[in-house]
Each structure stands twice: as structure tokens, then as C-alpha cells.
């Protein structure tokens, strides 16, 4: 017997749940891409994209996913042979480093492991030792979606400044934009990368790079910036098609317009607060489950180091995989696999999962996912401490005051 029929809930950390309003906005035929309403609609996107990032700087849009965003940033920041310092707090930092290396950029990785935050003293020491200023930019994730570690970006900027180093600060906000508080200009971020399918609630297909005017001047014309990737025409397109170096992604633009309207109507501070409260409910549930079974644990020990959009956890193999399968097959909730913690061929792989709580999520979705997880633990005889659902409900009740 399955109780999964009804509206399914994809609680993985991206792609996230797409609001009906976004889907409906996308459901229309091809518009004229040379003149008419599309042109004006697209002009309305730029100020809202700046607002959601907290910047008065530039934004370039690409047809692509997060990986495309990484390449776009890399290609414009660096010329071949220039050096990047990459901070890794999980799989995504390492992957950004690999992409840079493959493009001919010299990469130094500071790997902080899979469950501890970046140590800014180490970053500062590396920058101080770089007396010739060879490091052009520091690259980091705001939220590493694999580990669910959140990096204190303002603190990182202070460390770069304390070292007296001119490196640019480039941040991957793919899993945090529209979920976790982020203030590009206030925090001294020079370049920021995001994509549309997580906090921006639009199906995968758009990547963005925001950059300050100072960063644009510092980067000049990189020899990696081929015509498709170059920032230039994408921020100042003499002809409309040049924003995308070709045909505009029309359906996605309609969807993005609707998503940005939803964020604007709720208000960005309220969006951040909703994510804080829902994350708090998830954490409260895990604290109770862990109390009865130490094999159950959140990946990140300190709450202030945790993302508000995703929670990575362990259940002791093979229980994470068993629980994921039960939740999907019996109750219509799909949880995320563990990523970058163990190879999918290793038994340990089956001990990790992630709960997504990003984008178009509300209290009943998060409480529902937690209740389904608890039902799965009961059904599968996975030992767990009591009180998780009451604790999560209490957080939601407090957050809704
Ligand atoms: C999802 C994600 C990516 C990769 O995005 P794709 O769209 O899968 O290419 C990169 N960085 C972070 C932090 C992410 O969450």
C-alpha cells in the first residue's frame, strides 16, 4: 500500500519546487524577439535581479545551469595562467576549482573538509604570503549544497582586507540566493554567481553573474572570455539578442519575471526569515531524533555555520537510502541524496541524505516532510529519539508570531 498519490513534494536542494504562477507564466507561445512587450519586460528584470543580490553593479544572464555560471565567472575574471584561491567546504567548492583548472587557470585549493566552516585565519595567512599579489581572486561558495555549510562572506572579506591583499572576492550563491540573507555590496563581494532553479524558483536553464564596476575594470578583457561568455555585450547590448549572444530564453524569462514578482511581493527580508524559521524546524526535529540515536546527525554541528536552504545529515548506512526510498514510494516526498560524502559504489553512501527547504516552501511542506520522515523511521525500525514533530511545530509556531 502506498499513500503517495496526491501532490508530490520534491524536497531536494535543487531544482526546487516551481510555483504554479511561474509555470503558468511560462506557458505561452513564442513572442516576437525583435520588438514589442518582451523587450520592455526584460528591461524590468535587471533592477529586480540587482535588488535580490543587494547590488547596484552589473548583471549578465546566460542560458545555462550553475556550471555555466562558474565558467562565465572564471572566463571573465581570469586570463590563462592567472591564479585563483578556492575555499572548499564541500563538493561544490571543489567542483568550481576543477572547472577553473580545466580552463587553464592556476588554482590553489584550501580544503576545509566536509563538515567544518572555512578558517579565515588560514585564508589570511595564504594571502599574506602572496607578496607578489599573484592571486587574482578568492572563490568560495556561500552555501555548499553538498555539506550545507554556510560561509560568513562578510567575515571572509574582512580577512582579505586584513591581509591587505587586492584579490577580488567571487561567491557562488547558487544554493542561497533568494533563501539566505546575502548583501553583495555591503559585504564587499566583487563577483557573484547564481542560477535560476533553486531560490529563484524557475526551472533549470538560466545562469547569472553579478559584478561590480570595479571588478569589470580590474578584469579588463580576459583571454578566456570568448564571444559567448564575455560580459561586455551582456550588460550593454546594442541589440536585444546580444544579452544572450543569440536567441533569448523566452519561456524562462516569463517564468523569472513571475518568480521575481513573488519575491518582491513577499519582501526579501521576509523571504530570508521564512527560510530561517523553516530551517530551524528541521534542525529541531533532527536534534530530537539524534538524541535517541547518535547515528542520526546533522552534518554541520554549529547552527550559525548551517545553510537555511538545505540540511545535510547522516543516518548510519543503509538507513538514509532506505528512508529516502520509503518517503518517496510510500508518501510522495523525495529527499536529496548525500553528495560528495561517499562514492555511490561504497556502502557508506547509503548513510547520507539531504533535506531541501529552499524557495517555494512553507510551513506545511516542511512539517509534512518531517512527519513523513518520522513515519518512515517508524515503518523501517530506524531507532530515533521522540518529540521531533512537536519540537518542529514549536519552532514554526514561534516563527509565525
Ligand atoms: C546546484 C549548485 C551548483 C551547480 O548547479 P548546476 O545547475 O547543477 O550546474 C553549483 N554550486 C552550488 C552551490 C549549487 O548548489
Amino acid at each position: 500500500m502506498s499513500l503517495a498519490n496526491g501532490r508530490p513534494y520534491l524536497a531536494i536542494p535543487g531544482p526546487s519546487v516551481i510555483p504554479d504562477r511561474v509555470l503558468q507564466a511560462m506557458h505561452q507561445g513564442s513572442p516576437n524577439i525583435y520588438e514589442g512587450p518582451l523587450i520592455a519586460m526584460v528591461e524590468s528584470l535587471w533592477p529586480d535581479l540587482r535588488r535580490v543580490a543587494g547590488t547596484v553593479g552589473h548583471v549578465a544572464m546566460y542560458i545555462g545551469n550553475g556550471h555555466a555560471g562558474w565558467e562565465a565567472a572564471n572566463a571573465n575574471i581570469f586570463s590563462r595562467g592567472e591564479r585563483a584561491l578556492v575555499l572548499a567546504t564541500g563538493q561544490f567548492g571543489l567542483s568550481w576549482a576543477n572547472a577553473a583548472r580545466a580552463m587553464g587557470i592556476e588554482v590553489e585549493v584550501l580544503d576545509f573538509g566536509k563538515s567544518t566552516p572555512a578558517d579565515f585565519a588560514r585564508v589570511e595567512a595564504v594571502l599574506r604570503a602572496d607578496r607578489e599579489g599573484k592571486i587574482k581572486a578568492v572563490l568560495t561558495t556561500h552555501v555548499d549544497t553538498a555539506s550545507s555549510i554556510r560561509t560568513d562572506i562578510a567575515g571572509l572579506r574582512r580577512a582579505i582586507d586584513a591581509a591587505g591583499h587586492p584579490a577580488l572576492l567571487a561567491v557562488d550563491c547558487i544554493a542561497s540566493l533568494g533563501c539566505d540573507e546575502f548583501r553583495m555590496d555591503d559585504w564587499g563581494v566583487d563577483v557573484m554567481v547564481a542560477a535560476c532553479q533553486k531560490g529563484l524558483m524557475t526551472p533549470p536553464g538560466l545562469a547569472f553573474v553579478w559584478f561590480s564596476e570595479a571588478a569589470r575594470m580590474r578584469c579588463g578583457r580576459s583571454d578566456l572570455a570568448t564571444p559567448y561568455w564575455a560580459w561586455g555585450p551582456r550588460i550593454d547590448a546594442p541589440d536585444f539578442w546580444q544579452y544572450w549572444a543569440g536567441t533569448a530564453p523566452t519561456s524562462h524569462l516569463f517564468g523569472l519575471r513571475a518568480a521575481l514578482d513573488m519575491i518582491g511581493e513577499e519582501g526579501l527580508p521576509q523571504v530570508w526569515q521564512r527560510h530561517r524559521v523553516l530551517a530551524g524546524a528541521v534542525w529541531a526535529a533532527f536534534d530530537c531524533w539524534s538524541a535517541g540515536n547518535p547515528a542520526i546527525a546533522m552534518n554541520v554541528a554549529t547552527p550559525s555555520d548551517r545553510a537555511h536552504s538545505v540540511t545535510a545529515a547522516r543516518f548510519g548506512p543503509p538507513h538514509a537510502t532506505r528512508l529516502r526510498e520509503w518517503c518517496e514510494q510510500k508518501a510522495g516526498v523525495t529527499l536529496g541524496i548525500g553528495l560528495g560524502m561517499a562514492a555511490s559504489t561504497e556502502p557508506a553512501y547509503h548513510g547520507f541524505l539531504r533535506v531541501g527547504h529552499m524557495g517555494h516552501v512553507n510551513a506545511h511542506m516542511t512539517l509534512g516532510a518531517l512527519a513523513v520522515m518520522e513515519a518512515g523511521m517508524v515503518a523501517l525500525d530506524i531507532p530515533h529519539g521522540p518529540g521531533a514533530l512537536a519540537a518542529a511545530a514549536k519552532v514554526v509556531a514561534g516563527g509565525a508570531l
Side-chain angles (χ1 to χ4, degrees):
M1 175 69 196
S2 170
L3 302 171
N5 290 305
R7 183 173 281 235
Y9 175 22
L10 185 69
I12 69 172
S16 62
V17 171
I18 311 298
D20 290 345
R21 191 165 154 191
V22 170
L23 292 172
Q24 282 152 11
M26 296 178 76
H27 191 82
Q28 51 182 302
S30 297
N32 186 346
I33 56 167
Y34 296 105
E35 51 198 19
L38 179 71
I39 317 294
M41 188 278 278
V42 165
E43 289 311 314
S44 77
L45 293 174
W46 309 116
D48 288 345
L49 284 169
R50 286 192 188 92
R51 201 167 296 127
V52 82
T55 184
V56 297
H58 304 291
V59 51
M61 205 191 301
Y62 297 84
I63 296 176
N65 55 19
H67 283 69
W70 281 338
E71 288 208 24
N74 293 345
N76 285 280
I77 296 172
F78 302 99
S79 280
R80 211 165 263 105
E82 287 187 330
R83 178 175 288 223
L85 177 63
V86 183
L87 279 48
T89 53
Q91 185 56 45
F92 287 92
L94 296 173
S95 297
W96 195 1
N98 288 341
R101 207 175 284 115
M103 293 170 78
I105 297 160
E106 235 188 77
V107 177
E108 179 175 351
V109 177
L110 275 178
D111 189 346
F112 299 98
K114 294 171 183 169
S115 53
T116 45
D119 175 356
F120 297 150
R122 275 180 66 195
V123 179
E124 191 180 327
V126 169
L127 292 174
R128 278 187 195 280
D130 178 35
R131 294 217 173 74
E132 294 159 62
K134 286 202 166 147
I135 295 167
K136 176 103 174 261
V138 175
L139 275 44
T140 188
T141 50
H142 183 208
V143 164
D144 193 301
T145 325
S147 64
S148 65
I149 291 169
R150 181 166 52 92
T151 297
D152 169 11
I153 300 298
L156 175 57
R157 166 47 77 188
R158 283 194 293 276
I160 297 171
D161 291 348
H165 198 286
L168 296 163
L169 173 56
V171 181
D172 168 348
C173 288
I174 296 170
S176 57
L177 196 72
C179 306
D180 255 302
E181 180 171 358
F182 180 79
R183 301 178 184 274
M184 180 166 170
D185 291 356
D186 291 351
W187 295 354
V189 174
D190 300 291
V191 177
M192 190 271 278
V193 178
C196 67
Q197 78 271 23
K198 299 187 184 177
L200 297 182
M201 307 181 290
T202 303
L206 297 176
F208 312 89
V209 183
W210 288 256
F211 50 99
S212 65
E213 174 63 13
R216 191 181 71 83
M217 301 293 284
R218 281 273 303 284
C219 295
R221 193 168 298 159
S222 150
D223 67 10
L224 289 170
T226 51
Y228 187 80
W229 296 111
W231 281 341
R234 286 179 188 260
I235 60 165
D236 185 18
D239 291 311
F240 185 72
W241 66 269
Q242 289 173 300
Y243 282 133
W244 294 278
T247 305
T250 53
S251 299
H252 276 75
L253 296 172
F254 292 127
L256 180 66
R257 179 64 273 164
L260 291 170
D261 285 343
M262 290 175 71
I263 291 172
E265 288 161 18
E266 183 176 358
L268 204 44
Q270 287 74 23
V271 169
W272 295 335
Q273 185 59 17
R274 173 166 53 82
H275 282 84
R276 276 187 208 107
V277 173
L278 297 180
V282 174
W283 303 348
F286 268 100
D287 282 340
C288 293
W289 292 329
S290 304
N293 178 0
I296 301 177
M298 282 180 278
N299 184 49
V300 185
T302 310
S304 59
D305 295 328
R306 290 182 197 146
H308 295 108
S309 50
V310 53
T311 300
R314 64 193 71 215
F315 270 81
H319 293 320
T321 297
R322 290 176 72 224
L323 183 59
R324 274 196 304 103
E325 289 172 352
W326 191 94
C327 290
E328 182 165 67
Q329 291 163 11
K330 301 291 188 182
V333 174
T334 303
L335 301 171
I337 59 163
L339 197 66
M341 296 299 186
S344 59
T345 48
E346 294 175 69
Y349 173 83
H350 301 290
F352 299 97
L353 59 72
R354 292 173 300 158
V355 183
H357 32 95
M358 57 169 56
H360 192 54
V361 283
N362 61 20
H364 87 71
M365 294 160 82
T366 298
L367 290 175
L370 295 170
V372 161
M373 289 174 72
E374 178 141 330
M377 286 181 243
V378 172
L380 298 171
D381 276 329
I382 301 172
H384 59 281
L389 300 180
K394 200 169 166 193
V395 172
V396 165
L401 282 179

